């Protein structure tokens, strides 16, 4: 299960980078964005399942932190998509930073669990 969540987050991150680079070039590929969204929802579900069922670890980040960061990244991504005309650049930057941070925190959490 850890591997499935890790791969889903990695694929989400890769598609997010691809979508971001295309967005910076002003190329619109809705399929890439939709695939990023679907993978992000699947990864969020897997992280939720893992963090709820995992026992509390003595070291490492708290078990709610990966889920909190993944949820925050998903909310920021949805907000950037929803309000694309007003202030989306800042929200999109927040989405990217929190998304990468959630991936790294999830890796640290897996290693300590």
């Amino acid at each position: 299960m850890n591997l499935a969540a890790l791969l889903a987050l990695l694929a989400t991150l890769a598609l997010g980078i691809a979508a971001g680079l295309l967005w910076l070039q002003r190329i619109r590929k809705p399929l890439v964005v939709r695939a990023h969204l679907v993978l992000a929802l699947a990864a969020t579900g897997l992280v939720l399942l893992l963090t709820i069922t995992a026992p509390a670890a003595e070291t490492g980040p708290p078990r709610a932190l990966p889920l909190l960061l993944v949820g925050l990244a998903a909310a920021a991504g949805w907000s950037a998509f929803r309000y694309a005309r007003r202030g989306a650049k800042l929200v999109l930057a927040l989405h990217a930073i929190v998304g990468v941070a959630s991936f790294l925190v999830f890796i640290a959490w897996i290693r300590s669990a």
Side-chain angles (χ1 to χ4, degrees):
M1 183 81 74
N2 287 349
L3 183 61
L6 188 62
L7 290 176
L9 281 173
L10 186 61
T12 301
L13 192 62
L15 274 174
I17 290 170
L21 290 174
L22 289 170
W23 184 76
L24 287 173
Q25 296 172 359
R26 299 189 188 275
I27 300 171
R28 303 293 181 245
K29 297 282 184 181
L31 185 63
V32 175
V33 175
R34 285 189 188 117
H36 174 65
L37 174 64
V38 169
L39 275 172
L41 291 174
T44 303
L46 288 171
V47 170
L48 174 67
L49 184 64
L50 281 174
T51 55
I52 287 175
T53 60
E58 294 179 14
T59 60
R63 67 181 188 176
L65 188 59
L67 181 60
L68 178 70
L69 288 174
V70 168
L72 185 61
W78 177 255
S79 297
F81 173 73
R82 180 113 170 114
Y83 304 108
R85 289 180 176 46
R86 295 174 282 163
K89 291 180 185 177
L90 179 63
V91 178
L92 203 55
L94 175 70
H95 168 69
I97 291 168
V98 174
V100 171
S102 68
F103 177 72
L104 296 175
V105 168
F106 184 71
I107 289 174
W109 180 76
I110 284 179
R111 289 184 52 118
S112 68

